[in-house]
Amino acid sequence: MESSPVSSSSPPSSVFSFDLPSAPHSSDHDQQPSLRTVTHLEQLRVEEKVAEIYRILNDASPHTKTIMMELWRDNHILFLSRGLNQLGPNFRILDASRPWLCYWIIHSMSLLGESLDIEVENSIIEFLSHCEDKQGGYGGGPGQMPHLATTYAAVNTLITLGSDAALSSVNRDSLHKFLLRMKDSSGAFRMHHAGEIDVRACYTAISVASILNIMDSELVVGLGDYIIRCQTYEGGIAGEPGSEAHGGYTFCGLATMVLIDEVDRLHLPSLIDWVVFRQGVECGFQGRTNKLVDGCYSFWQGGSLSLIQTLLPIAEKQTQSPLTSIEHQTLEGNSDGSTSQVQNPENEDMGTEKGDDIGFRFIRMGTRVAAPLFHSVALQQYVLLCSQVLEGGFKDKPGAHRDYYHTCYCLSGLCVSQYSFSKTPNSPPPSRAMLGPYSNLLEPIHPLYNVLLDKFYRAHEFFFGMKKRGTI
Amino acid sequence: MLSGEDEWVPFSRRPEWSDVKPVPQDDGPNPVVPISYSDEFRETMDYFRSIYLSGERSFRALSLCSEAIELNPSNYTIWHFRRIVLEALDADLHAEKEYVNNIALRNSKNYQIWHHKRWLAEKLGPEAAEEELAFTEKIFAVDAKNYHAWSHRQSVLQALGGWQKELDYCDKLLREDVFNNSAWNQRYFVITKSPFLGGLQEMRESETRYAVEAILSNPENESPWRYLRGLYKDDPNLLICNNQVSEVCLKILKRKQNIVLALSLLLDLLCHGFQPISEIRSAVEALRISESEPSTSSLANTICGILGLVDPMRSNYWAWRRSHLPSEVC
Ligand SMILES: [Zn+2]
């Protein structure tokens, strides 16, 4: 297969779709096709391409090796800022995902430590306010219906901008009403009015409710029951009950359960076992059992394992007790059994014991073990050598084209693997935790929301420091 | 059709649209991530916005939706409005099914299309089951792991029925590609949910044989190993009591190839209280690589040690497993 190392920018075929189309099947394979299945053949083809890259790395001089493992910051920033300013006509298929484009680009820039001009920042705030619906929530573009996924993207973009103007531009009252309108009787959420129900919808709703401090019992009720029904016999979490365990939904389901303080209701030992087995010989992660490696799962799977590092005491308790009788154990270590902690209407200050302040407490727990459960250096190798496009941007796998989605999630995955040996999420990693020069180090994130950690703190101060909304 | 690329006629030159005033997109003064729309895209969307805002439920509105969807099938607002129009017109849902199937075949990884298909199938009722199942099979012929199509198939089975041949279908797909984890997942769905098979309890023994057979022919294939564990997910005591399970581990270990998944299952058995026969102990003993490993350590400990060496990608995981073995394991 011919594959040009210089790939032009091209949008993914669908949005927040964890699974992009695999490359067409090659017929000139030297194996006996009759003895191999489709899965096996496609896997071998990818393994060969990746092995070739690693062979070149191994045979390279120390100087070339360093260059190969370098993060090409300037080129990435150039690629990202170009997209912020102008996108070609073939991006029309992302016309209902423009807040996503903002988030993928702005979050990637923030990971790279790049700050924006005040005029650019104001343009983003202004544009997103054009996507905001009068009845609450953000749509995929001006005049479109509000949608949970683009609401998540818009809110995370504004939090990443971080200024008072950005944070105060969100209409929290109407957003809260929008979230309630999207709540289904099953406990889960719909993506939009009369839209599809799945675990992404649950995560995006709860993530914004949590970070904006508009969480309440009505949003949480029944949600944990729904997510539990999505944990499959394999251990990972599916998009909806009965479907196949999947990296993207596993992250969304796990993060949701942490944010509503019911994570101990998942069976964590089998979830961990499933996730760690998704890292393959290519060094990157696949999204599902026996599927091909893909750079975006560096975050969906790597991010889950980053969360797991903080949750290990709960997982360990589950390993010690029989499978069928898992006691309720909250992040605070008591066994309340109810979700009542999540709502705590009286507390309006920034206390650290509040149940509705889990995003904050999660970071402060400080119980992370010193080593991640996955091979974080190998993951960096996949991202830097197989996903990185030297002209800027990241891609799914060798032979694929770069896009903003993969740029965002490859960088986010690179970030969680760089900090995976840090005792606290923001302490500088030891050099053994890093692949390539130390200058590759990205800014640390809050893994529950995937926004920069210091931007999270800023938002926390802003939304939890203020008086809580009167309606709760 | 008007949407053909060469002969596209602007709405402003179509007499039947002369009464409609297009509504431009309000991007604000300094938009970010602006897309350089083609004239066709811009004008189609301007007319769509106009009828969406006026709420016009007409056949021309329906055909405008079709043109707009053709330009961007992931615009959920258009799909939503399309459903409102269809309901208001009491439109022919069979024609709609032809329409959406045609688009789904060209855009098989799009959330909006599959949501529309699910809405439509539920409206058409049980008589639609067979055709919907056949349609997903058409998708699987090209992409046997299409996540949306599998979700659709499951929702059709649960809402409309058609379970009778589902286990055979899973078997067919697994015969074609035993690594197809989506087919294994579907198989699990069928044996636990089908109203005709008696549930997991009835199926457990025969499914164990099915998984064991798949493991013996491809021990590196993770899917049947996870399936086998899954059959006993809620009842680990049955798992450790079933000789077929420990025997398949033993057989693979004796081959001394592709041992990771066998050791991993054996480790789980031990963690659940399994008492190994001496043959298993010696098979594991024969795999020990590191001489520094004290032979007095428990079997579970030894297994974690071996896994840490033969499965370096997960050495941290195996070290963690080793340090948190339940106190009473062998
Ligand atoms: Zn991807």
Side-chain angles (χ1 to χ4, degrees), chain A residues 30 56 77 90 111 133 154 166 173 182 187 289 296 363 370 393 425 453 465:
Chain A
D30 53 4
I56 293 169
I77 290 165
N90 59 341
L111 283 164
D133 190 85
D173 275 307
M182 295 307 108
T289 306
C296 66
I363 291 299
L453 191 58

PDB file of all heavy atoms in Angstrom, chain A residues 30 56 77 90 111 133 154 166 173 182 187 289 296 363 370 393 425 453 465:
ATOM      1  N   ASP A  30       1.127 -11.099   1.098  1.00  0.00           N
ATOM      2  CA  ASP A  30       1.890 -12.311   0.781  1.00  0.00           C
ATOM      3  C   ASP A  30       1.429 -13.538   1.577  1.00  0.00           C
ATOM      4  O   ASP A  30       1.875 -14.639   1.331  1.00  0.00           O
ATOM      5  CB  ASP A  30       3.396 -12.070   0.965  1.00  0.00           C
ATOM      6  CG  ASP A  30       3.717 -11.502   2.332  1.00  0.00           C
ATOM      7  OD1 ASP A  30       2.796 -11.362   3.146  1.00  0.00           O
ATOM      8  OD2 ASP A  30       4.902 -11.196   2.573  1.00  0.00           O
ATOM      9  N   ILE A  56      13.107   1.306  11.842  1.00  0.00           N
ATOM     10  CA  ILE A  56      13.873   2.502  11.463  1.00  0.00           C
ATOM     11  C   ILE A  56      14.373   3.205  12.728  1.00  0.00           C
ATOM     12  O   ILE A  56      15.526   3.639  12.797  1.00  0.00           O
ATOM     13  CB  ILE A  56      12.995   3.454  10.606  1.00  0.00           C
ATOM     14  CG1 ILE A  56      12.683   2.799   9.261  1.00  0.00           C
ATOM     15  CG2 ILE A  56      13.676   4.800  10.410  1.00  0.00           C
ATOM     16  CD1 ILE A  56      11.623   3.518   8.434  1.00  0.00           C
ATOM     17  N   ILE A  77       1.077  23.637  16.237  1.00  0.00           N
ATOM     18  CA  ILE A  77       0.391  24.904  16.512  1.00  0.00           C
ATOM     19  C   ILE A  77      -0.036  25.584  15.201  1.00  0.00           C
ATOM     20  O   ILE A  77      -1.146  26.099  15.086  1.00  0.00           O
ATOM     21  CB  ILE A  77       1.284  25.828  17.374  1.00  0.00           C
ATOM     22  CG1 ILE A  77       1.371  25.236  18.792  1.00  0.00           C
ATOM     23  CG2 ILE A  77       0.741  27.255  17.420  1.00  0.00           C
ATOM     24  CD1 ILE A  77       2.452  25.808  19.644  1.00  0.00           C
ATOM     25  N   ASN A  90     -14.680  20.905   2.161  1.00  0.00           N
ATOM     26  CA  ASN A  90     -14.970  19.506   2.513  1.00  0.00           C
ATOM     27  C   ASN A  90     -15.228  19.331   4.018  1.00  0.00           C
ATOM     28  O   ASN A  90     -15.605  18.253   4.465  1.00  0.00           O
ATOM     29  CB  ASN A  90     -13.862  18.566   2.028  1.00  0.00           C
ATOM     30  CG  ASN A  90     -12.504  18.921   2.616  1.00  0.00           C
ATOM     31  OD1 ASN A  90     -12.313  20.026   3.092  1.00  0.00           O
ATOM     32  ND2 ASN A  90     -11.582  17.981   2.599  1.00  0.00           N
ATOM     33  N   LEU A 111      -2.793  22.228  25.600  1.00  0.00           N
ATOM     34  CA  LEU A 111      -1.879  21.151  25.994  1.00  0.00           C
ATOM     35  C   LEU A 111      -0.447  21.498  25.598  1.00  0.00           C
ATOM     36  O   LEU A 111       0.507  21.187  26.297  1.00  0.00           O
ATOM     37  CB  LEU A 111      -2.295  19.832  25.320  1.00  0.00           C
ATOM     38  CG  LEU A 111      -3.491  19.113  25.927  1.00  0.00           C
ATOM     39  CD1 LEU A 111      -4.033  18.071  24.953  1.00  0.00           C
ATOM     40  CD2 LEU A 111      -3.099  18.435  27.242  1.00  0.00           C
ATOM     41  N   ASP A 133     -28.336  28.065  22.486  1.00  0.00           N
ATOM     42  CA  ASP A 133     -29.781  28.128  22.273  1.00  0.00           C
ATOM     43  C   ASP A 133     -30.433  28.990  23.357  1.00  0.00           C
ATOM     44  O   ASP A 133     -29.998  28.974  24.511  1.00  0.00           O
ATOM     45  CB  ASP A 133     -30.351  26.702  22.314  1.00  0.00           C
ATOM     46  CG  ASP A 133     -31.791  26.656  21.871  1.00  0.00           C
ATOM     47  OD1 ASP A 133     -32.035  26.573  20.663  1.00  0.00           O
ATOM     48  OD2 ASP A 133     -32.688  26.720  22.750  1.00  0.00           O
ATOM     49  N   ALA A 154     -18.506  23.050  23.790  1.00  0.00           N
ATOM     50  CA  ALA A 154     -18.533  24.502  23.975  1.00  0.00           C
ATOM     51  C   ALA A 154     -18.096  24.870  25.390  1.00  0.00           C
ATOM     52  O   ALA A 154     -17.275  25.773  25.591  1.00  0.00           O
ATOM     53  CB  ALA A 154     -19.936  25.047  23.686  1.00  0.00           C
ATOM     54  N   ALA A 166     -15.219  34.574  29.353  1.00  0.00           N
ATOM     55  CA  ALA A 166     -15.523  33.245  28.814  1.00  0.00           C
ATOM     56  C   ALA A 166     -16.409  32.470  29.783  1.00  0.00           C
ATOM     57  O   ALA A 166     -17.435  31.902  29.390  1.00  0.00           O
ATOM     58  CB  ALA A 166     -14.233  32.476  28.539  1.00  0.00           C
ATOM     59  N   ASP A 173     -28.334  28.691  34.149  1.00  0.00           N
ATOM     60  CA  ASP A 173     -29.733  28.392  34.478  1.00  0.00           C
ATOM     61  C   ASP A 173     -30.433  27.672  33.335  1.00  0.00           C
ATOM     62  O   ASP A 173     -31.055  26.630  33.530  1.00  0.00           O
ATOM     63  CB  ASP A 173     -30.488  29.682  34.802  1.00  0.00           C
ATOM     64  CG  ASP A 173     -30.308  30.052  36.256  1.00  0.00           C
ATOM     65  OD1 ASP A 173     -30.573  29.180  37.098  1.00  0.00           O
ATOM     66  OD2 ASP A 173     -29.877  31.184  36.528  1.00  0.00           O
ATOM     67  N   MET A 182     -33.210  16.722  28.696  1.00  0.00           N
ATOM     68  CA  MET A 182     -32.582  15.599  27.998  1.00  0.00           C
ATOM     69  C   MET A 182     -32.589  14.326  28.839  1.00  0.00           C
ATOM     70  O   MET A 182     -32.233  13.252  28.370  1.00  0.00           O
ATOM     71  CB  MET A 182     -31.132  15.935  27.619  1.00  0.00           C
ATOM     72  CG  MET A 182     -31.009  17.073  26.611  1.00  0.00           C
ATOM     73  SD  MET A 182     -32.016  16.811  25.136  1.00  0.00           S
ATOM     74  CE  MET A 182     -33.308  18.029  25.393  1.00  0.00           C
ATOM     75  N   GLY A 187     -33.009   6.908  33.302  1.00  0.00           N
ATOM     76  CA  GLY A 187     -31.904   7.442  34.095  1.00  0.00           C
ATOM     77  C   GLY A 187     -30.817   8.017  33.209  1.00  0.00           C
ATOM     78  O   GLY A 187     -30.010   8.832  33.649  1.00  0.00           O
ATOM     79  N   THR A 289     -11.850  -5.369  21.544  1.00  0.00           N
ATOM     80  CA  THR A 289     -11.112  -6.624  21.399  1.00  0.00           C
ATOM     81  C   THR A 289     -10.987  -6.993  19.918  1.00  0.00           C
ATOM     82  O   THR A 289     -11.993  -6.960  19.188  1.00  0.00           O
ATOM     83  CB  THR A 289     -11.847  -7.750  22.156  1.00  0.00           C
ATOM     84  OG1 THR A 289     -12.045  -7.331  23.504  1.00  0.00           O
ATOM     85  CG2 THR A 289     -11.044  -9.041  22.135  1.00  0.00           C
ATOM     86  N   CYS A 296      -6.485   7.705  18.743  1.00  0.00           N
ATOM     87  CA  CYS A 296      -7.410   8.423  19.624  1.00  0.00           C
ATOM     88  C   CYS A 296      -7.694   7.647  20.911  1.00  0.00           C
ATOM     89  O   CYS A 296      -8.026   8.234  21.934  1.00  0.00           O
ATOM     90  CB  CYS A 296      -8.710   8.775  18.898  1.00  0.00           C
ATOM     91  SG  CYS A 296      -9.726   7.384  18.411  1.00  0.00           S
ATOM     92  N   ILE A 363      -8.913  15.163  42.434  1.00  0.00           N
ATOM     93  CA  ILE A 363      -7.530  15.590  42.223  1.00  0.00           C
ATOM     94  C   ILE A 363      -6.770  15.654  43.549  1.00  0.00           C
ATOM     95  O   ILE A 363      -5.597  15.331  43.626  1.00  0.00           O
ATOM     96  CB  ILE A 363      -7.524  16.978  41.537  1.00  0.00           C
ATOM     97  CG1 ILE A 363      -8.034  16.850  40.112  1.00  0.00           C
ATOM     98  CG2 ILE A 363      -6.142  17.597  41.551  1.00  0.00           C
ATOM     99  CD1 ILE A 363      -7.217  15.945  39.232  1.00  0.00           C
ATOM    100  N   ALA A 370       2.432   4.818  42.376  1.00  0.00           N
ATOM    101  CA  ALA A 370       3.536   5.423  41.630  1.00  0.00           C
ATOM    102  C   ALA A 370       3.651   4.931  40.201  1.00  0.00           C
ATOM    103  O   ALA A 370       4.312   5.546  39.395  1.00  0.00           O
ATOM    104  CB  ALA A 370       4.835   5.173  42.376  1.00  0.00           C
ATOM    105  N   GLY A 393      -0.146  18.066  13.339  1.00  0.00           N
ATOM    106  CA  GLY A 393      -1.345  17.256  13.514  1.00  0.00           C
ATOM    107  C   GLY A 393      -1.032  15.796  13.793  1.00  0.00           C
ATOM    108  O   GLY A 393       0.127  15.369  13.716  1.00  0.00           O
ATOM    109  N   PRO A 425      -1.464  14.715  40.053  1.00  0.00           N
ATOM    110  CA  PRO A 425      -1.661  14.856  38.600  1.00  0.00           C
ATOM    111  C   PRO A 425      -0.830  15.959  37.957  1.00  0.00           C
ATOM    112  O   PRO A 425      -0.644  15.956  36.751  1.00  0.00           O
ATOM    113  CB  PRO A 425      -3.150  15.175  38.480  1.00  0.00           C
ATOM    114  CG  PRO A 425      -3.750  14.727  39.750  1.00  0.00           C
ATOM    115  CD  PRO A 425      -2.710  14.866  40.798  1.00  0.00           C
ATOM    116  N   LEU A 453      -5.534  21.225  33.879  1.00  0.00           N
ATOM    117  CA  LEU A 453      -5.773  21.229  35.314  1.00  0.00           C
ATOM    118  C   LEU A 453      -5.891  22.652  35.873  1.00  0.00           C
ATOM    119  O   LEU A 453      -6.793  22.935  36.663  1.00  0.00           O
ATOM    120  CB  LEU A 453      -4.640  20.466  36.021  1.00  0.00           C
ATOM    121  CG  LEU A 453      -4.882  20.150  37.483  1.00  0.00           C
ATOM    122  CD1 LEU A 453      -6.153  19.337  37.677  1.00  0.00           C
ATOM    123  CD2 LEU A 453      -3.682  19.390  38.038  1.00  0.00           C
ATOM    124  N   GLY A 465     -17.001  29.147  43.876  1.00  0.00           N
ATOM    125  CA  GLY A 465     -16.794  30.273  44.778  1.00  0.00           C
ATOM    126  C   GLY A 465     -18.035  31.148  44.833  1.00  0.00           C
ATOM    127  O   GLY A 465     -18.351  31.738  45.845  1.00  0.00           O
TER     128      GLY A 465
END
